[in-house]
């Protein structure tokens, strides 16, 4: 029995040896080669091959070449995966699949690596093409951003407002001036361009040896900055380029904003969307819709081709990868270019902050929103917050109509009226013939403050708020598509504050846009909902709110900028909108301001009859107080508001501006 057991054990052992022999024969080195290929892919992903076995050069030299080759691609690292390996004895080939990601733009390619076995170790045969197909010795890759064509801003009828226009970029080319003379040239150029010489010299010194240091962008040479003067400064040049610009330097700039090179703060806040050298919008619609207008930049990966040592060729650029830019989206607006320019021309000589807003009541289209030179670049037309003065009597009158009065009802116009110790007066020059018992129409036409204040006991503050909302004032404007202040009328006020509200003062505030909406609602016979941007959501980045206002803090004259109706809370449209009958009665009284009131000068305006309402809003603690000058008007399917800050009387200051605008508008 023992002998049989030994024989059985011997047979099992022989079988085991016979089975093991084929397995050993199948271990042909594949597993080692595959492990080496995976290690190579991992090392390339980390941009560090210093620990690998390298054939053809030493590991340190290969590692340095790897870093030098890809240094121009920034901080991005590739994802590298090894593919199916092909084994041929002591050599193996394996595909390497590279994926780079440049701000959401992928660059994918495959190269071929060769491995050789020496003893028990697999080594990588090093060559440039392993890193990228067609890469040759000494070539270094760099990343270029290809700026997308910026979207245009169009006006009514798709007329181009902002489009690419020729410009001259005046600056210092450091390759054209000796290094020891660069500072002197920088200072001389700064003096010519009206820049701070110290700041420009510092900027020049901080720029690279081959940099172009931009000083100013001109539409064309001027009397002060000529080609001859620029060329006389060593290294100074004027490069021809294009830039997204409006028809003139000032055209609707507070509304549209501007476009320029992104500064450090804008780049930091962009979360990677902007890089140095990118253009971006600043202020107005250009900033609000920058993501749509800017589009998406393209990407190029290139290598410079050095000239042959014998001088037989020229330098060039080899393109390894190119993703074309996606052009920006065109922004369509309702602005009428002729009316906008006319409004700006009308305000050209006005010293204080000023504005003209014109809209089409039937559609709500904003045709012009001009802020005068005294606004110093602030969008007074849409963001200003001012007491509307007696233009608010349009809203008073609607509230009085709803309490049973008519244009022919008798009201008492007294020289003064005192409320809780505060005395209110009519504007200087108020006609004696309209003192005493007069019709509401007459009190409106001559703007009798005391008659409207006397009605405060019959018109509550809540009724004023309701009447304002009935006319599109102090409500949201969902179709506007731009930052705006749309009015604030408190629903609660007592005593002198309520009395002041009756003449458009106290805490009642409007922008010129709001005043135009109010007048337009009379012409339309229904509340006007203004519209400026026609396609606010076109091209909006996925997952973002398009058209979100981005205006910064405005001037002290206008404490906040918002599409909301007031700093407290936005309101929706009134549940009791103005009716056609109510609007007709208000239109009749506005016409009386022209035919028998103190805006008789508007009777000379050709075309449809003009209806108007003047306003003079007192503010401050001076004696006599300073005043803002207002006038609103309707002329056919056109509603206009004219405002001048600290302008005096509305009829005397804003009135002639309105007459000039309406007469030229035709």
């Amino acid at each position: 029995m023992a002998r049989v057991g030994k024989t059985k054990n011997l047979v099992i052992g022989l079988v085991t040896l016979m089975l093991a022999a084929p397995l050993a024969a199948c271990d042909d080195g594949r597993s080692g080669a595959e492990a080496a290929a995976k290690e190579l892919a991992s090392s390339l992903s980390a941009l560090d091959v210093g620990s690998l076995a390298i054939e053809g050069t030493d590991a340190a030299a290969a590692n340095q070449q790897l870093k030098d080759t890809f240094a121009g691609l920034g901080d991005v690292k590739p994802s590298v995966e090894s593919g199916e390996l092909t084994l041929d004895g002591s050599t193996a080939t394996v595909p390497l699949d590279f994926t780079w990601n440049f701000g959401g733009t992928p660059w994918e390619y495959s190269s071929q690596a060769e491995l050789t076995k020496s003893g028990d170790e697999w080594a990588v045969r090093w060559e440039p093409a392993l890193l990228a197909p067609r890469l040759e010795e000494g070539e270094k890759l760099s990343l270029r951003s290809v700026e997308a064509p910026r979207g245009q801003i169009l006006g009514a009828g798709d007329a181009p407002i902002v489009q690419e226009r020729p410009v001259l970029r005046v600056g210092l080319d450091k390759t054209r001036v000796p290094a020891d003379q660069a500072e002197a040239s920088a200072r001389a150029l700064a003096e010519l361009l009206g820049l701070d010489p110290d700041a420009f010299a510092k900027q020049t010194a901080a720029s690279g040896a081959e940099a172009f240091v931009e000083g100013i962008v001109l539409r064309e040479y001027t009397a002060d900055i000529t080609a001859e003067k620029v060329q006389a400064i060593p290294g100074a040049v004027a490069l021809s380029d294009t830039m997204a610009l409006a028809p003139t330097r000032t055209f609707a700039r507070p509304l549209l904003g501007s476009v320029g090179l992104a500064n450090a703060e804008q780049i930091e806040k962009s979360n990677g969307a902007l890089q140095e050298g990118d253009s971006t919008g600043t202020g107005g619609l250009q900033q609000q819709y920058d993501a749509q207008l800017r589009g998406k930049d393209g990407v190029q990966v290139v290598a410079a081709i050095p000239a042959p040592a014998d001088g037989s060729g020229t330098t060039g650029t080899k393109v390894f990868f190119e993703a074309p830019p996606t052009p920006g989206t065109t922004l369509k607006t309702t602005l009428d270019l002729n009316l906008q320019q006319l409004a700006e021309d009308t305000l050209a000589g006005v010293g204080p902050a000023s504005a003209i807003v014109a809209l089409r009541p039937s559609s709500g289209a904003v045709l012009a929103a001009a802020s005068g030179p005294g606004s110093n670049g602030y969008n007074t037309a849409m963001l200003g917050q001012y007491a509307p003065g007696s233009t608010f009597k349009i809203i008073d009158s609607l509230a009085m109509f709803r309490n049973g009065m008519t244009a022919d009802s008798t009201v008492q116009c007294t020289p003064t009226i005192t409320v809780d110790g505060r005395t209110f007066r009519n504007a200087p020059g108020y006609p004696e013939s309209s003192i005493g018992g007069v019709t509401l129409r007459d009190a409106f036409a001559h703007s009798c403050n005391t008659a409207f204040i006397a009605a405060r006991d019959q018109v509550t503050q809540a009724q004023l708020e309701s009447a304002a909302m009935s006319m599109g004032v102090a409500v949201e404007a969902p179709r506007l598509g731009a930052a705006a202040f749309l009015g604030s009328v408190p629903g609660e006020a007592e005593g002198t504050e309520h009395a002041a509200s009756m003449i458009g003062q106290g805490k009642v505030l409007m922008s010129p846009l709001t005043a135009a909406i109010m007048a337009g609602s009379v012409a339309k016979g229904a509340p006007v909902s203004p519209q400026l941007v026609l396609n606010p959501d076109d091209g909006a980045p996925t997952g973002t709110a398009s058209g979100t206002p981005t205006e910064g803090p405005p001037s002290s004259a206008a404490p906040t900028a918002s599409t909301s109706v007031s700093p407290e809370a936005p309101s929706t449209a009134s549940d009791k909108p103005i009716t056609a009958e109510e609007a007709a009665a208000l239109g009749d009284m506005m016409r009386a301001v022209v035919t028998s009131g103190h805006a008789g000068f508007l009777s000379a305006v050709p075309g449809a009859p003009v209806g108007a309402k003047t306003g003079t809003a007192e503010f401050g603690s001076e004696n006599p107080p300073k005043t803002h000058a207002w006038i609103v008007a309707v002329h056919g399917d056109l509603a206009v508001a004219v405002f001048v800050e600290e302008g005096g009387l509305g009829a005397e200051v804003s009135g002639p501006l309105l007459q000039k605008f309406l007469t030229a508008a035709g």
Side-chain angles (χ1 to χ4, degrees):
M1 293 295 292
R3 185 177 298 172
V4 171
K6 288 180 181 179
T7 303
K8 181 178 180 182
N9 290 339
L10 179 61
V11 171
I12 292 172
L14 290 172
V15 171
T16 301
L17 289 172
M18 291 173 67
L19 289 173
L23 290 175
C26 289
D27 185 12
D28 54 2
R30 177 175 292 277
S31 60
E34 289 177 341
K38 289 182 178 180
E39 185 179 4
L40 171 60
S42 176
S43 298
L44 290 172
S45 295
L47 297 184
D48 186 351
V49 295
S51 62
L52 298 183
I54 303 293
E55 183 179 292
T57 185
D58 61 76
N63 201 45
Q64 189 60 52
Q65 185 181 32
L66 168 67
K67 295 182 182 301
D68 290 345
T69 298
F70 293 141
L73 302 185
D75 297 331
V76 182
K77 292 183 179 180
S79 170
V80 185
E81 299 287 340
S82 57
E84 185 174 351
L85 180 138
T86 300
L87 184 67
D88 185 9
S90 60
T91 63
T93 56
V94 61
L96 298 173
D97 298 325
F98 284 72
T99 300
W100 300 79
N101 193 316
F102 303 118
T105 301
W107 177 31
E108 299 176 344
Y109 61 86
S110 295
S111 68
Q112 195 86 352
E114 183 175 337
L115 307 175
T116 60
K117 186 177 181 182
S118 177
D120 294 331
E121 184 177 55
W122 286 91
V124 180
R125 185 182 299 279
W126 191 259
E127 57 183 355
L130 180 149
L131 302 179
R134 301 188 298 116
L135 185 70
E136 298 181 13
E137 196 69 40
E139 292 180 344
K140 299 176 182 179
L141 301 181
S142 61
L143 188 65
R144 287 182 178 177
S145 177
V146 183
E147 190 168 3
R150 192 171 181 86
Q152 296 184 15
I153 297 182
L154 305 180
D158 289 346
I161 299 177
V162 175
Q163 60 181 329
E164 291 293 322
R165 302 178 192 272
V167 295
L168 294 169
R169 295 186 180 273
V170 184
L172 192 69
D173 184 348
K174 294 183 70 174
T175 65
R176 300 190 182 193
V177 60
D180 59 352
Q181 296 181 23
E183 180 179 354
S185 288
R187 291 182 177 277
L189 184 57
E191 292 283 358
L192 174 64
L193 303 180
L195 306 175
D196 182 337
D198 291 338
F200 192 64
K202 183 178 180 180
Q203 180 184 355
T204 300
S207 303
E210 299 182 356
F212 169 73
V213 187
E214 185 175 293
I216 196 171
V217 179
L218 300 173
R219 290 175 181 261
E220 57 187 9
Y221 286 117
T222 67
D224 295 323
I225 306 174
T226 64
E228 292 74 18
K229 290 179 180 179
V230 171
Q231 294 166 3
I233 300 172
V237 295
L239 305 179
S240 297
D241 198 0
T242 62
M243 181 178 286
L245 297 172
T248 67
R249 185 180 63 83
T250 59
F251 186 90
R253 187 159 185 169
L255 172 62
L256 300 176
S258 59
V259 179
L261 294 178
N263 58 37
E265 182 180 2
Q266 290 170 321
I267 292 171
E268 182 179 355
K269 290 182 177 180
S270 73
N271 296 321
L274 293 174
Q275 308 294 328
E276 186 175 355
D278 285 350
S279 294
T280 188
T282 300
L285 298 182
Q286 290 286 8
Q287 180 174 336
Q288 185 174 333
Y289 292 94
D290 186 61
Q292 292 102 305
L293 290 165
R294 192 173 65 242
K296 184 179 180 182
D297 288 350
V299 172
Q300 278 189 339
V301 177
V302 301
I305 302 174
D310 61 5
S312 60
T314 59
T315 60
T317 300
K318 181 191 293 186
V319 178
F320 284 78
F321 170 71
E322 185 170 19
T326 301
T329 301
T330 294
L331 194 68
K332 298 183 178 183
T333 76
T334 59
L335 281 184
D336 183 297
L337 273 65
N338 292 329
L339 288 181
Q340 177 70 27
Q341 189 62 61
L342 174 60
E344 295 189 12
D345 292 343
T346 302
L347 297 173
V350 178
S354 60
I356 293 178
V357 174
L359 57 79
R360 182 176 293 116
S362 60
S363 65
V366 178
L367 305 177
S371 299
S375 296
N376 295 318
Y378 181 66
N379 189 359
T380 302
M382 296 180 66
L383 296 175
Q385 295 187 25
Y386 300 93
S390 292
T391 61
F392 193 73
K393 289 171 183 170
I394 296 173
I395 289 172
D396 290 342
S397 299
L398 176 59
M400 294 164 76
F401 289 165
R402 290 178 172 180
N403 283 343
M405 296 186 69
T406 69
D408 294 317
S409 296
T410 300
V411 296
Q412 293 300 316
C413 181
T414 57
T416 64
I417 188 171
T418 301
V419 180
D420 293 344
R422 179 181 172 184
T423 299
F424 294 87
R425 295 177 172 82
N426 295 316
Y430 187 86
E432 289 291 333
S433 59
S434 292
I435 293 291
V438 297
T439 63
L440 178 60
R441 181 187 294 104
D442 193 35
F444 184 93
H446 293 285
S447 204
C448 178
N449 290 337
T450 60
F452 281 88
I453 292 173
R456 71 191 183 282
D457 292 336
Q458 290 77 46
V459 178
T460 67
Q461 189 70 26
Q463 288 174 326
L464 287 181
E465 180 188 37
S466 176
M469 294 175 63
S470 296
M471 302 184 73
V473 174
V475 297
E476 293 177 340
R479 302 188 309 147
L480 184 60
F485 177 72
L486 297 168
S488 178
V489 180
E492 296 181 2
E494 297 179 355
T496 58
E497 186 177 315
H498 179 42
S501 294
M502 296 295 293
I503 55 173
Q505 297 186 169
K507 294 183 179 179
V508 176
L509 297 172
M510 288 189 188
S511 65
L513 171 66
T514 313
I517 292 170
M518 175 179 66
S521 297
V522 174
K524 182 179 181 181
V528 168
S529 180
Q531 183 173 34
L532 175 65
V533 179
L534 296 171
N535 60 333
D537 298 319
D538 286 2
T542 303
T544 63
S546 173
T548 301
T550 52
E551 293 291 341
S555 67
S556 59
T560 60
S562 173
T563 51
S564 301
V565 300
S566 71
E568 291 80 21
S571 300
T572 55
S574 171
D575 58 1
K576 189 179 180 182
I578 187 173
T579 66
E581 182 181 5
E582 292 170 334
L586 290 173
D588 169 67
M589 296 208 302
M590 290 178 68
R591 180 59 181 162
V593 174
V594 178
T595 58
S596 61
H598 48 234
F601 51 85
L602 294 176
S603 60
V605 173
V610 178
K613 183 68 192 82
T614 58
T616 303
E618 296 181 350
F619 69 98
S621 57
E622 296 183 15
N623 189 16
K626 294 181 178 179
T627 58
H628 300 315
W630 289 88
I631 191 168
V632 297
V634 292
H635 184 218
D637 196 15
L638 189 67
V640 183
V642 181
F643 167 80
V644 178
E645 183 179 76
E646 298 186 24
L649 300 178
E652 296 178 0
V653 176
S654 295
L657 297 173
L658 174 65
Q659 181 185 20
K660 179 180 179 181
F661 178 82
L662 291 179
T663 301

